[in-house]
Every structure is written in structure tokens, then in C-alpha cells.
Amino acid sequence: MLPPRPAQAATPLEDNRLIIEGYIQLANEMQSLLDPAFQPGGSSLVRPTWYGFAPHAAHAGGKGMLGAALALRIIDAARTWPSFSVGHALDRAGITGPARAPIASLAQELTLQGLPTDVAASLAALLSAVNVQVMADPRVLLTTASRFAWIYWHTPGFWPLDKAKAIVRTFERTLHESNLAIFSDIGGAGRLYLTWRQAQTSAVTGERVLTAFSIPGANLAEARLAYTYARAHAHDTPRPYQMDQLFPGMAWKSLLLAAFALYEEARVAPTPADRDALIAMGTNYIAWREQHDQAQPVFTPASPRADEVSRSALLEIISPALRTEFGTTVWTYEAFAATQPDRDGNPFTAPATEYNWAFFPDRWAGIMHAFNQVYLQPASVWVMPQPLEDPLALLSGR
């Protein structure tokens, strides 16, 4: 799906730009199947497919990579000459605007926990491109600072800047690898499907997808089972989403095949309500494949790298600040956590700090919450994200 890279390897943010562009193209083509009046660059009131969500989710990941790039700028500058203060370190990274004050507060708190100034500023900068305003809650601020301090003191190495760089690189790799894994798998399947569909000379239906289209690794019998179940239960409340309980032992690529069949069935559904219900079921199937099989091994690898910190522990730190702009609809993990039961019953613990994006059930529940929020304003996703510039690439003239 990605075009050939130049001789000088692309940065994570440069890959992110290409991935977002690829997702936008897929989103437009998929939406045109469901809404014949839709035009790329326009809008649609028809419920978006998974591919309509994907550019925005990838952009949110890109913002995390942007925070990592700014953190690396602080670290690289400090190797030449240490910063005089937190403010000086943030100046050298070009961190300004509304994000600066909460980032500075977090960095100052980290210095109180014994971290050197540039290390504190670099770790705080990881949050500079996400929902850093969550740090206005002192409970989140103190919890985040203590978790950052813990992971710093437990990072192997002697030199403070090397320890900070290991943390930043772990975060950057985690986002980049998950971005690539999901795009290669689900983006690749989407392109394979659309290419097959364009070659068909007779009408494409859900049944025809199940009998004439195939995805390597998918099982036709399993895909038919998932497809049949979705058609029977698309209007259930809540919508079925615990796929491991519904289809134990299923080869999860079968869900991709079932989802494409459901999108075709939605295209000819008798009512808008039926159409939207089938779209949502197909999207849940794809999202499960995305998160369960592609993202989870990246977030909690079976064999962690020796030069990294715990990815799960690092994502727990970042979780309260997660934010995705689905066009004009803004979803935050803080808002999601506020709708959930208080896990520890302690009013001095912020709900958003009680969840971990690396833990599949926590992430899955948040994603279902985000989908339902967007379904209330389906046209919002068609305000597509703008590309993010890599500050390190700009400095090097790339």
C-alpha cells in the first residue's frame, strides 16, 4: 500500500502522511458505494464505514509521533548545551500556544521528582500534540508525573538523556509500528476488495462477496457465520461487539470478509436504519480485527526489545491525554472514562488514569464509545485531517 521509500528512509511522520492519504482514498471509494451522491471532498449523511474513521485515527497517532519528534529535538539540543530552565527547553523545541502552560506544569512537576530539566521537558513534550489540557486536573498531573518518574528511574542506562531517548523512542516505535501494521492489513484488504469489485461484470451482493471474493487467511465458512449473525443481530442493543465470545476460535481475517459482505448488503438495505445497522456491524468486525490482531501484539509484544521500556506502562501514562478529532466530532479518553464506573472508588484518583490503552478491553470499550459518538453526527468525519509536518525533517531540509 505504501509507495517505494526514497534512499533516505522515511521518518515515522512521513509514513504517517502517506498512510493518511491512503486511508482518505479508501474512505472516499467505500463511501461512494454506500452513498452514490457522495463525491470525494464532499460530505455524506450516510453512516461511515471503518475506512471513514481510519484517517482520523491515523492522524491522532501522528500527533503522538509529533510529540515524540519534539521531545527528540529537546534531547538533541541538550546534548550540545543543557537548557537553563524548563521554559528554555520548550522554547528550543518551539512549543507555544495553549499546550505550553500544561506541558510546563508537567515538566516542573517532573523536576520536583528529581528528573533533570531537559529530561523532564522532553517527557512532558510527548503530550504536546494531544489532549494536554487534561493536566489541568491536578489528580491527572500528579499521577502522570509519578508514572513518568517511575518509568524513567527504571529505564536501563546511566546517562539521563539516553534514558529519556529510550522512553521517547519506545513511544514513537509503538505508534509507528501499529500504524504500519493496521494500514498494511486492513488498508491492504480494502484495496484488494475494491480492485476485485471493479473487475466484476455482474451485480455485487453480500452473497456474491462470500462466494466469489477471498482474502488470504480468511475462512469462508467462518465469514458466512459472522455475516449471518450480523444480519440477524444488527439491531440489538447494545450492538454485538464481544467477538471472541460470539465466535471462539475464529480466524479473525474472516471478519474482514464478512464486513465487506455486510457493506454490500447495507448498500441495498430497505431502510436507512437497516443500512446504518449493517454498516456499524461491519465496522465493528473490522475494528476487532484491527485492534485484537494488529494493534495488540504491538502494544504488548511477546518479546520486548532490550533498548525499550515497557510499552504497556508507557501507554498507561499517555492514556488520559488521548484525543481524536473525527473531523468536527472530538473524542477524548477523559470523556470516555467519565462515563464508566469508578474503578477504585477513590475521589482523589482521576477516572482517566484508571485505564490503559495498551489493555485490550480498555481500548476496545473506548473505541466503541467513539464510534457511537460519531454515529450521532456522521457527516463530521468528512472534514479530513491536515498532514503533520515532521520538525526534525524540516530542520534537515527534507
Side-chain angles (χ1 to χ4, degrees), residues 206-207 210 224-236 240 258 261-262 265-266 268 270 274 277-278 281 285:
E207 181 62 29
L210 293 174
R224 184 175 293 281
L225 174 65
Y227 170 77
T228 302
Y229 183 90
R231 292 191 62 191
H233 295 275
H235 289 284
D236 287 4
L262 288 169
E265 193 69 18
V268 294
D274 291 329
L278 291 169
M281 280 301 303
Y285 281 174

Side-chain angles (χ1 to χ4, degrees), residues 13 31 62 116 148 186 228 283 372:
L13 274 172
Q31 198 68 15
F148 261 138
I186 311 231
T228 302
T283 295
N372 289 329

Side-chain angles (χ1 to χ4, degrees), residues 1-7 18:
M1 289 288 291
L2 286 172
R5 298 187 182 191
L18 296 175

Side-chain angles (χ1 to χ4, degrees), residues 143-231:
T143 299
T144 302
S146 64
R147 287 173 174 171
F148 261 138
W150 185 93
I151 208 169
Y152 170 78
W153 294 117
H154 287 81
T155 299
F158 177 77
W159 299 108
L161 292 177
D162 290 342
K163 291 163 71 77
K165 189 169 185 177
I167 296 170
V168 174
R169 285 298 190 197
T170 300
F171 184 55
E172 182 183 58
R173 285 178 191 149
T174 301
L175 295 176
H176 188 218
E177 289 173 16
S178 62
N179 221 9
L180 291 174
I182 294 167
F183 183 67
S184 298
D185 183 69
I186 311 231
R191 177 51 57 206
L192 182 68
Y193 177 69
L194 289 168
T195 300
W196 170 84
R197 194 182 192 284
Q198 290 169 0
Q200 301 309 296
T201 56
S202 58
V204 176
T205 63
E207 181 62 29
R208 180 165 173 75
V209 171
L210 293 174
T211 56
F213 176 65
S214 63
I215 299 174
N219 178 287
L220 176 57
E222 292 178 346
R224 184 175 293 281
L225 174 65
Y227 170 77
T228 302
Y229 183 90
R231 292 191 62 191

Side-chain angles (χ1 to χ4, degrees), residues 117-376:
T117 299
D118 285 300
V119 170
S122 68
L123 296 183
L126 285 178
L127 305 181
S128 58
V130 289
N131 184 28
V132 72
Q133 303 304 328
V134 73
M135 296 299 149
D137 184 335
R139 300 173 300 172
V140 178
L141 176 66
L142 293 175
T143 299
T144 302
S146 64
R147 287 173 174 171
F148 261 138
W150 185 93
I151 208 169
Y152 170 78
W153 294 117
H154 287 81
T155 299
F158 177 77
W159 299 108
L161 292 177
D162 290 342
K163 291 163 71 77
K165 189 169 185 177
I167 296 170
V168 174
R169 285 298 190 197
T170 300
F171 184 55
E172 182 183 58
R173 285 178 191 149
T174 301
L175 295 176
H176 188 218
E177 289 173 16
S178 62
N179 221 9
L180 291 174
I182 294 167
F183 183 67
S184 298
D185 183 69
I186 311 231
R191 177 51 57 206
L192 182 68
Y193 177 69
L194 289 168
T195 300
W196 170 84
R197 194 182 192 284
Q198 290 169 0
Q200 301 309 296
T201 56
S202 58
V204 176
T205 63
E207 181 62 29
R208 180 165 173 75
V209 171
L210 293 174
T211 56
F213 176 65
S214 63
I215 299 174
N219 178 287
L220 176 57
E222 292 178 346
R224 184 175 293 281
L225 174 65
Y227 170 77
T228 302
Y229 183 90
R231 292 191 62 191
H233 295 275
H235 289 284
D236 287 4
T237 302
R239 186 173 299 109
Y241 65 96
Q242 297 291 17
M243 309 310 168
D244 55 342
Q245 297 176 19
L246 295 174
F247 312 117
M250 178 173 285
W252 298 115
K253 275 207 171 184
S254 303
L255 289 177
L256 294 181
L257 182 55
F260 294 137
L262 288 169
Y263 287 159
E264 291 293 348
E265 193 69 18
R267 187 174 59 82
V268 294
T271 69
D274 291 329
R275 176 198 66 204
D276 287 350
L278 291 169
I279 292 172
M281 280 301 303
T283 295
N284 279 9
Y285 281 174
I286 295 178
W288 182 275
R289 165 68 183 174
E290 166 207 6
Q291 293 298 324
H292 187 269
D293 286 6
Q294 299 305 113
Q296 193 59 43
V298 175
F299 294 159
T300 54
S303 300
R305 293 178 53 151
D307 62 344
E308 290 188 353
V309 298
S310 166
R311 293 186 175 191
S312 178
L314 187 52
L315 287 173
E316 182 180 39
I317 298 171
I318 304 297
S319 293
L322 293 175
R323 169 190 169 100
T324 302
E325 297 175 11
F326 293 103
T328 58
T329 297
V330 178
W331 176 89
T332 67
Y333 208 81
E334 179 187 26
F336 157 68
T339 68
Q340 303 301 299
D342 188 345
R343 283 186 166 175
D344 63 3
N346 184 352
F348 297 105
T349 304
T353 64
E354 299 172 10
Y355 293 83
N356 184 348
W357 192 250
F359 184 46
F360 179 77
D362 288 358
R363 188 170 70 259
W364 185 239
I367 289 169
M368 293 297 98
H369 182 265
F371 283 173
N372 289 329
Q373 186 173 331
V374 171
Y375 290 155
L376 298 175

